[in-house]
Amino acid sequence: MSEAVLASDGDRSPVVTVERGQRAVFCGLTSIVWLHRKIQDAFFLVVGSRTCAHLLQSAAGVMIFAEPRFATAILQDRDLAGMADCHEELDRVVEELLSRRPEIKTLFLVGSCPSEVIKLDLNNAAGRLQTRYDGRVRMVAYSGSGIETTFTQGEDKCLAELVAANSGRTDRESPALIIAGTLSDIVEDQFQRIFDDLGIGPIAFLPARSGDTMPIAGPHTRVLLAQPYLTETAQALKGQGAKLLNAPFPLGAEGTLLWLKAAADEFGVTDSLFNEVTAAPLARAKQAVGYQREKLRGKRIAFLPDSQLELPLARFLARECDMNVESITTPFHDPQIMASELTLFGDHPDMIEGGDLETRLDHVRQLRPDLTVCGMGIANPLEAEGLRSKWSIELIFSPIQGFDQAGDLAGLFSRPLSRAAQLEV
Amino acid sequence: MELSLWTYEGPPHVGAIRIANSMRGVHLLLHAPQGDSYADLLFTMIERDNHRPPVTYTTFQARDLGSDTAELVLNSIHAAVEKHKPQVLLVGDSCTAELIQDQPGSLATSCGLSVPVVPIEMLAYSRKENWGAGETFYSLVRGLLQSRVPAPGTEPAPRGGQPPSVNLLGPSSLGFRCRDDVREITQLLAQMGVRVNVCAPLNASPGDLLRLPDADANVCLYPEIAGPSCDWLQRNFKQPTIKTVPIGVGATREFLAEVAETLGIEYAPDATDSRLPWYSRSVDSTYLTGKRVFVFGDATHVVAAARIAHEELAFEVVGMGTYSREQARAVRTAATELGLKALISDDYLEVERVISELQPELVLGTQMERHIAKRLGVPCAVISTPAHVQDYPARYSPQMGFEGANVIFDSWVHPLMMGLEEHLLAMFRDDFEFNDSAQPSHLAAEGVAKRSENTAVNDSIHSEDADAAAELTWDLNAERELRKIPFFVRGKAKRNTEKFAADTGVSVINVNTLYEAKAHYSR
Ligand code: SF4
């Protein structure tokens, strides 16, 4: 069932094993839940089934807004039996939607498993609709389907498509630095201030808060990934001549420092300026993480596959919080994007890519770690077996990157442990 | 294609998982892509189950589609049977798998498994969750009992000497308060000397389903789930179906009477069975008279709630409806009896539109209506699925039976009292000790932004009905007077006054117009 596919550089030789089998990770549609909060004038229209609509609303949980900026065009028997022309139907739905929501500037047509299985060409549809709504609404199609993408990969597909849609545009200046990957507004603002102080700029965030200010990469653009799941986006940016900087991800004091340093070195920032700008927030971050380290030191942790943040989080918890990382499974491993993380982590346990749900759960039961990072559906069952858990979707929705969130990030892991220690029932 | 923002029901296979998760010894093999495994969290997070639902997702990917997904199905079947050792294996498709037509049901029945296989057809593109649950339960009942159906003409064996017994059919995982309803109804039946033979699907095993024919009758507790099964058992095993759903004092008494009549035993109604009648008659409840309520949810709970609201609390039901087209008829009938036209829709924006037009003082609905009501600032109680984690309470809180009626009295009247408290605060808002910008404690921040005294006047008068307000103006004194009217009737007073002004050709509304309109509409 398993095949060893990758033995990486040098003496440490971490092994990444691909394991097939049953998976329990959300599909890429889920990323709409945070993407629509970020891109504030965009609407995400999934072309799919009632399942897709139900997934979105279950993942969005209690966030019921007056009228959400996402919806599903649910395929019906008539569409599948050929009684209705899917493209005409889609045009009708889009018209209904846009007449209701005239403020929408970008419409994402998001492909799902059903739309892909019936080979409904949404790129084609986006092109056709673009002609109709040109100058008013920008149409972008991408896939969030569960047969193509897991969870965070939905954002990768979305951003890669946004980059591709901008290719060849010259109407705006390319920024010197693009920070790619959704971050909370508060984290973006912190990074913006630090880059300003370092004299690096102009910088731009991808995705931007508005659909028509998405940065356009050029040959002088450098790219720093703020999220590790952006394989295709990184490729697309490189395809437009941008240079991808190698760095670990900005999780924890050390991760953030090295991430900023990669940019500082690239833009020729002097060491003294770099130290001057980062010294205070770095000290704050270390202090805040220090409080949590007391609670986390020596505790054993395992990662079940979920967000592709597994490796950077494990590195942070091992190096800055003195935790013992005993097992890492990740839905998808990109050795290039993770190169700096692997180097920094040093001796880490072998990793599983993919993972068979039952095998992985049995493995956790056998390890009995102090904490297991897992998807939302699995957390309570593990707790009921006496295993402490941290459901990882919170790691996607909370601001965790950067110096001033390093303590909060560690706190997300110490809280379940403190809670378990305090409860007497 | 149908544009959907929020849905009331999930897809039919989620209904199938609900049945599998209700039972013991049943496992569901679902041919589905990995993303469909989100369904786990409905059970483990909303219902706080302490285990994963018993479902194996084949989790096929795009790259499997070119090759042999059927082989993947077979491997998954064998792995699931090996791992979970179920007594019965349910096998079905989710929406995507339905399109690739691997027929996992026939694959499973023909691959020589030692476990009985029950294939289910989920019709993902025309049906929904409750139908899927009902259909799955029916498939299980029929699949397990078909070979035991007595030959036509056979008389049921006499059941000499045994106490009368019934089956409770329909309670399920992720249903509304099912756990507590079962306990309450079991208790009430025991008081009459009636034993529960089998309760299913909740906590039943396949072996229990095989014992269904032993009971004297079937109680169709939740028709959405149990309807088809009860009909089949009645046809094939001559078991009568007890159809009254015991929600509310009146319905519970009728239910017990129906049980007694069906089983040929005595039932003596007891006037002190529930506290609701007295609480409702006590003078403190006078203010409940004629409260305008809007009722929406699944058919079973809506029909029951409308009856309770009208007969047992003396509310005025101003609108009612259901998201379930399959069960629409029962709701239409009940609405007609109250002189209303039922709203049958699963478009929550339409439901919101109707609620804001009707301006009820209380909304009884689902999780969706709770959000709508919160936005409109109207008190609300949840009476039906879809529900959220707070509607799976730790305490005993049935909806059915006499204790259920007590629970309903408390949970419907409580939000109204909070509203009244807010009204008292509003009455004293000009008092120097009271601060108008204080938020009512039971309403979340959504939609009810803090505002200053002056803008509050303007907002409450000009925000809605922009068209009507465009031609009509309120003079300052009339605005002030309007502000003195309790908040929960203010909207209605404003609407009536503006309509009256428009009808009588008044363009500037003054205090007189306000009171003339009041007199006009109080006829
Ligand atoms: S896995 Fe596929 S069918 Fe299921 S919700 Fe995701 S896109 Fe829709």
Side-chain angles (χ1 to χ4, degrees):
Chain A
M1 202 169 219
S2 303
E3 49 203 290
V5 287
L6 178 109
S8 101
D9 59 329
D11 32 338
R12 281 188 310 277
S13 305
V15 176
V16 178
T17 308
V18 174
E19 184 178 84
R20 296 271 170 88
Q22 186 189 189
R23 296 175 168 212
V25 183
F26 290 154
C27 61
L29 294 186
T30 321
S31 56
I32 292 171
V33 176
W34 64 86
L35 283 171
H36 91 281
R37 300 302 296 156
K38 190 76 207 174
I39 313 174
Q40 292 161 8
D41 54 3
F43 195 103
F44 291 79
L45 179 65
V46 175
V47 183
S49 65
R50 183 164 300 279
T51 316
C52 308
H54 200 229
L55 159 99
L56 268 180
Q57 107 180 30
S58 306
V62 292
M63 302 199 313
I64 298 214
F65 302 106
E67 235 190 283
R69 274 183 294 102
F70 55 79
T72 309
I74 297 182
L75 291 159
Q76 317 263 304
D77 267 347
R78 309 177 53 239
D79 305 303
L80 301 171
M83 280 147 67
D85 180 285
C86 284
H87 285 285
E88 282 170 19
E89 283 291 290
L90 183 59
D91 290 2
R92 179 182 59 75
V93 166
V94 166
E95 191 179 316
E96 181 187 335
L97 184 74
L98 291 177
S99 63
R100 262 186 108 93
R101 305 297 298 268
E103 79 283 13
I104 295 303
K105 293 285 189 302
T106 301
L107 180 66
F108 289 99
L109 300 177
V110 190
S112 68
C113 306
S115 78
E116 280 165 21
V117 168
I118 65 168
K119 302 201 162 35
L120 183 57
D121 187 343
L122 294 184
N123 283 312
N124 181 329
R128 179 181 68 241
L129 287 161
Q130 191 61 71
T131 325
R132 164 122 55 117
Y133 294 96
D134 220 15
R136 198 189 129 196
V137 183
R138 189 141 161 257
M139 304 285 168
V140 182
Y142 75 92
S143 167
S145 85
I147 53 176
E148 292 281 0
T149 63
T150 77
F151 197 21
T152 49
Q153 277 175 328
E155 175 174 339
D156 189 25
K157 295 273 181 191
C158 175
L159 298 190
E161 212 47 65
L162 277 174
V163 172
N166 270 341
S167 107
R169 275 177 72 164
T170 49
D171 48 324
R172 274 182 284 123
E173 288 270 323
S174 296
L177 178 65
I178 290 178
I179 313 288
T182 299
L183 294 168
S184 307
D185 290 356
I186 186 169
V187 175
E188 274 186 18
D189 294 345
Q190 288 169 9
F191 284 149
Q192 178 77 56
R193 283 196 295 272
I194 293 179
F195 285 118
D196 286 350
D197 292 347
L198 291 172
I200 297 173
I203 72 166
F205 292 91
L206 177 69
R209 295 179 201 185
S210 144
D212 44 53
T213 55
M214 292 297 162
I216 301 168
H220 304 294
T221 305
R222 306 288 181 266
V223 176
L224 256 186
L225 297 183
Q227 299 284 5
Y229 43 75
L230 296 178
T231 299
E232 291 190 17
T233 306
Q235 284 305 329
L237 288 165
K238 279 199 267 181
Q240 297 183 355
K243 178 180 167 191
L244 186 65
L245 305 183
N246 286 323
F249 293 91
L251 297 170
E254 180 187 44
T256 304
L257 187 75
L258 293 173
W259 185 77
L260 292 168
K261 187 84 171 88
D265 288 348
E266 180 70 19
F267 288 94
V269 177
T270 62
D271 281 353
S272 64
L273 176 61
F274 185 76
N275 292 338
E276 186 189 316
V277 169
T278 54
L282 177 66
R284 281 200 301 274
K286 284 185 167 167
Q287 187 185 27
V289 172
Y291 297 135
Q292 306 297 332
R293 182 166 49 234
E294 297 313 310
K295 302 175 202 163
L296 294 171
R297 177 174 291 133
K299 299 282 193 233
R300 301 157 58 238
I301 188 165
F303 287 83
L304 288 172
D306 203 54
S307 62
Q308 292 190 47
L309 261 67
E310 290 82 9
L311 183 61
L313 287 171
R315 178 266 302 160
F316 161 68
L317 293 169
R319 290 180 56 88
E320 295 186 46
C321 302
D322 295 348
M323 290 188 86
N324 295 339
V325 178
E326 305 218 328
S327 168
I328 305 176
T329 308
T330 184
F332 178 76
H333 177 72
D334 181 336
Q336 251 180 322
I337 281 186
M338 290 296 182
S340 303
E341 287 288 346
L342 288 167
T343 313
L344 188 58
F345 202 166
D347 275 337
H348 59 76
D350 292 342
M351 287 200 294
I352 306 271
E353 182 186 305
D356 170 62
L357 176 64
E358 304 284 4
T359 313
R360 288 304 107 207
L361 284 175
D362 283 346
H363 184 61
V364 166
R365 288 178 184 124
Q366 187 201 333
L367 276 179
R368 294 203 71 79
D370 296 298
L371 197 62
T372 303
V373 183
C374 63
M376 208 171 8
I378 296 169
N380 267 337
L382 287 178
E383 294 284 344
E385 293 182 34
L387 293 159
R388 301 284 78 78
S389 67
K390 171 78 222 96
W391 30 297
S392 49
I393 200 160
E394 204 178 340
L395 299 163
I396 294 290
F397 288 133
S398 322
I400 57 169
Q401 293 81 4
F403 289 128
D404 288 313
Q405 282 66 237
D408 303 342
L409 176 59
L412 288 177
F413 295 91
S414 66
R415 197 168 307 124
L417 297 174
S418 312
R419 182 168 179 76
Q422 187 178 338
L423 288 177
E424 297 285 351
V425 290
Chain B
M1 271 178 213
E2 174 199 315
L3 182 62
S4 164
L5 294 115
W6 299 105
T7 75
Y8 284 90
E9 291 184 76
H13 73 258
V14 166
I17 303 178
R18 282 174 55 188
I19 300 304
N21 194 54
S22 301
M23 295 186 60
R24 290 174 288 123
V26 173
H27 195 86
L28 169 64
L29 189 288
L30 192 69
H31 196 20
Q34 67 166 345
D36 290 3
S37 65
Y38 78 88
D40 284 14
L41 77 90
L42 304 172
F43 300 91
T44 65
M45 296 301 282
I46 296 180
E47 198 174 55
R48 291 185 222 248
D49 283 357
N50 62 3
H51 55 82
R52 278 193 62 232
V55 48
T56 295
Y57 307 90
T58 59
T59 56
F60 57 87
Q61 293 173 280
R63 62 158 183 254
D64 301 318
L65 290 179
S67 57
D68 199 359
T69 43
E71 196 181 314
L72 177 67
V73 173
L74 282 173
N75 291 340
S76 308
I77 289 174
H78 289 297
V81 169
E82 164 98 349
K83 171 85 192 168
H84 299 283
K85 307 196 171 33
Q87 296 159 37
V88 169
L89 185 71
L90 285 168
V91 180
D93 283 324
S94 80
C95 53
T96 310
E98 195 176 315
L99 297 171
I100 55 180
Q101 300 188 333
D102 282 327
Q103 319 288 0
S106 357
L107 284 174
T109 22
S110 57
C111 74
L113 288 180
S114 51
V115 200
V117 171
V118 175
I120 48 174
E121 294 267 351
M122 287 288 89
L123 309 179
Y125 297 93
S126 53
R127 299 298 192 156
K128 298 177 197 164
E129 177 180 333
N130 281 334
W131 178 88
E135 177 69 14
T136 303
F137 184 50
Y138 168 59
S139 302
L140 267 173
V141 169
R142 198 191 45 189
L144 290 171
L145 286 172
Q146 191 134 46
S147 61
R148 304 187 177 208
V149 170
T154 324
E155 278 303 306
R159 316 182 356 92
Q162 291 185 39
S165 68
V166 295
N167 299 316
L168 299 185
L169 300 185
S172 69
S173 177
L174 277 182
F176 196 68
R177 306 288 163 88
C178 291
R179 174 197 71 192
D180 298 344
D181 285 351
V182 167
R183 181 171 139 196
E184 174 69 12
I185 294 305
T186 305
Q187 224 163 273
L188 288 177
L189 291 170
Q191 283 167 16
M192 291 172 71
V194 175
R195 190 174 59 87
V196 172
N197 174 55
V198 170
C199 169
L202 198 63
N203 296 325
S205 67
D208 292 334
L209 296 189
L210 291 174
R211 295 193 297 107
L212 284 175
D214 296 347
D216 296 305
N218 291 308
V219 173
C220 188
L221 219 44
Y222 303 91
E224 279 85 354
I225 314 277
S229 300
C230 287
D231 290 348
W232 188 82
L233 288 166
Q234 178 149 14
R235 274 201 312 280
N236 291 285
F237 289 91
K238 308 283 180 290
Q239 285 177 305
T241 304
I242 291 162
K243 289 200 165 139
T244 310
V245 177
I247 304 181
V249 176
T252 301
R253 290 178 184 159
E254 278 169 33
F255 164 78
L256 294 174
E258 189 184 352
V259 169
E261 194 192 316
T262 309
L263 302 178
I265 57 173
E266 287 294 306
Y267 163 59
D270 168 6
T272 62
D273 46 21
S274 165
R275 292 188 193 94
L276 183 145
W278 167 241
Y279 271 51
S280 200
R281 283 175 192 279
S282 70
V283 289
D284 186 67
S285 296
T286 310
Y287 82 99
L288 300 176
T289 316
K291 286 279 174 207
R292 299 160 50 80
V293 295
F294 178 83
V295 190
F296 198 84
D298 70 13
T300 301
H301 289 90
V302 161
V303 170
R307 177 174 173 189
I308 298 169
H310 182 69
E311 294 179 7
E312 301 180 12
L313 296 167
F315 290 159
E316 183 193 355
V317 180
V318 294
M320 61 190 283
T322 180
Y323 53 78
S324 165
R325 280 174 206 286
E326 284 115 350
Q327 310 283 331
R329 196 192 302 162
V331 178
R332 285 207 179 93
T333 311
T336 310
E337 278 167 22
L338 290 171
L340 299 167
K341 190 173 175 303
L343 170 65
I344 312 297
S345 172
D346 61 356
D347 175 356
Y348 98 106
L349 288 173
E350 192 182 346
V351 178
E352 174 162 46
R353 208 153 44 234
V354 171
I355 295 179
S356 47
E357 273 165 21
L358 289 172
Q359 305 204 343
E361 293 156 85
L362 176 68
V363 171
L364 303 173
T366 72
Q367 159 78 357
M368 310 285 202
E369 285 68 47
R370 192 168 67 80
H371 284 275
I372 293 171
K374 194 183 263 186
R375 262 197 304 282
L376 299 174
V378 181
C380 176
V382 173
I383 58 154
S384 157
T385 54
H388 221 282
V389 61
Q390 67 268 39
D391 293 303
Y392 292 83
R395 68 180 184 279
Y396 181 57
S397 50
Q399 297 287 288
M400 292 186 171
F402 296 124
E403 184 57 24
N406 296 339
V407 168
I408 285 174
F409 183 92
D410 290 347
S411 53
W412 296 7
V413 169
H414 176 81
L416 282 172
M417 298 228 287
M418 298 305 283
L420 199 73
E421 217 169 84
E422 192 182 326
H423 159 57
L424 291 174
L425 281 174
M427 268 175 50
F428 290 110
R429 76 203 317 166
D430 293 328
D431 190 292
F432 70 99
E433 283 175 316
F434 285 82
N435 179 356
D436 190 36
S437 62
Q439 276 277 64
S441 54
H442 69 294
L443 290 178
E446 238 174 305
V448 199
K450 295 183 180 172
R451 1 177 226 210
S452 75
E453 179 94 3
N454 286 335
T455 58
V457 176
N458 291 331
D459 276 8
S460 66
I461 292 177
H462 297 301
S463 58
E464 358 158 10
D465 301 339
D467 317 345
E471 298 136 38
L472 291 166
T473 42
W474 289 68
D475 80 14
L476 202 61
N477 287 332
E479 281 192 7
R480 291 219 176 95
E481 201 69 10
L482 182 65
R483 271 287 309 283
K484 295 174 195 161
I485 294 172
F487 80 99
F488 50 85
V489 281
R490 195 181 302 145
K492 190 165 114 190
K494 173 174 174 279
R495 236 183 1 160
N496 286 350
T497 308
E498 284 172 356
K499 174 141 198 323
F500 178 80
D503 290 351
T504 53
V506 171
S507 59
V508 179
I509 296 170
N510 58 27
V511 175
N512 277 333
T513 326
L514 184 66
Y515 285 108
E516 276 163 25
K518 180 167 188 279
H520 177 80
Y521 282 102
S522 63
R523 283 178 306 173

